[in-house]
Amino acid sequence: MDLRIFTEPQQGATYDTLLAVAKATEDLGFDAFFRSDHYLRMGSADGLPGPTDAWITLAGLARETKRIRLGTLMTAGTFRLPGVLAIQVAQVDQMSGGRVELGLGAGWFEEEHKAYGIPFPKEKFARLEEQLAIVTGLWETELGETFSYDGTHYQLTDSPALPKPAQSKVPVLIGGHGASRTPRLAGRYADEFNMPFASVEDSERQFGRVRAAAEQAGRKGSDLVYSNALVACVGKDDAEVARRAAAIGREVEELKANGLAGSPAEVVDRIGRFAEIGSQRIYLQILDLDDLDHLDLISSQVQSQL
């Protein structure tokens, strides 16, 4: 079971804060640092000092880390044209020496689009399907060949399909709860399927749908990595768990029901339940980015037992 650190910088974080978390992620032996792709805070957080761009952040971290994987859960398809996104991700992959992964979703948070003048199309899923075809198609095009695409939403003509990523294949992550279209896209395009903030039972059902969709697409269900994203709130005792829950504005019992919360032993046991239904990787949503002792505890007393 891989453990990855997943951050939500739109809730309030500077680049320096994200760098400190990424370096702790690397030093403490976690597999990867991922971040969300949002431009507006959610809920009661003040969001100060303001949003940071996901791919600019990852470009900086690519030069300041050496080992960890770097990626997004999920890049919003509404934010970037697919040809431009393919260039950005390929460049950051080169900058990192081949450590980038692309999580790509349709985009959903209408308020952030209104706040920053980003078009919010009514039909987002069909656009996402075309974006996946274009981004992967550009990367897969042989050197010296060109790539063209004539879709409903995007048209590319004789693209040189450059630059290429450092990796022969940048892993593509697709995730979500949808019962039909999401598994179909994942079965065709994804290297990893991520189930965000879901129960063991719902995850098991969705993993099954994705495996079936992969087989319908001519792949093996085992060709994909299956993962979960879950909020983390771990403490060495009840008081520390309560303190960390209060710091992120959540209740302990709610966190235990819906995330990974409690003592290290409780969290190891809950992770084991996800492993039993086929989850191979957990993205730990860390909401208090100033509490690096939290990461240290998870590394020494949770990760060490997996």
Side-chain angles (χ1 to χ4, degrees), residues 3 5 30 230-248 250-252 255-256 259-271 282-288 291-306:
L3 293 187
I5 300 303
F30 294 104
L230 295 160
V231 62
C233 181
V234 189
K236 63 180 181 291
D237 53 35
D238 289 346
E240 191 166 81
V241 175
R243 176 177 62 79
R244 288 197 164 114
I248 61 175
R250 303 279 285 270
E251 297 293 329
V252 172
L255 288 168
K256 287 187 176 183
L260 298 174
S263 69
E266 287 178 290
V267 170
V268 168
D269 181 67
R270 184 149 169 82
I271 289 174
I282 301 288
Y283 292 81
L284 302 170
Q285 185 194 44
I286 303 297
L287 296 176
D288 184 354
D291 185 4
L292 298 183
D293 289 341
H294 193 196
L295 300 187
D296 193 5
L297 178 68
I298 295 170
S299 172
S300 64
Q301 297 193 35
V302 176
Q303 183 171 238
S304 62
Q305 298 186 58
L306 299 177

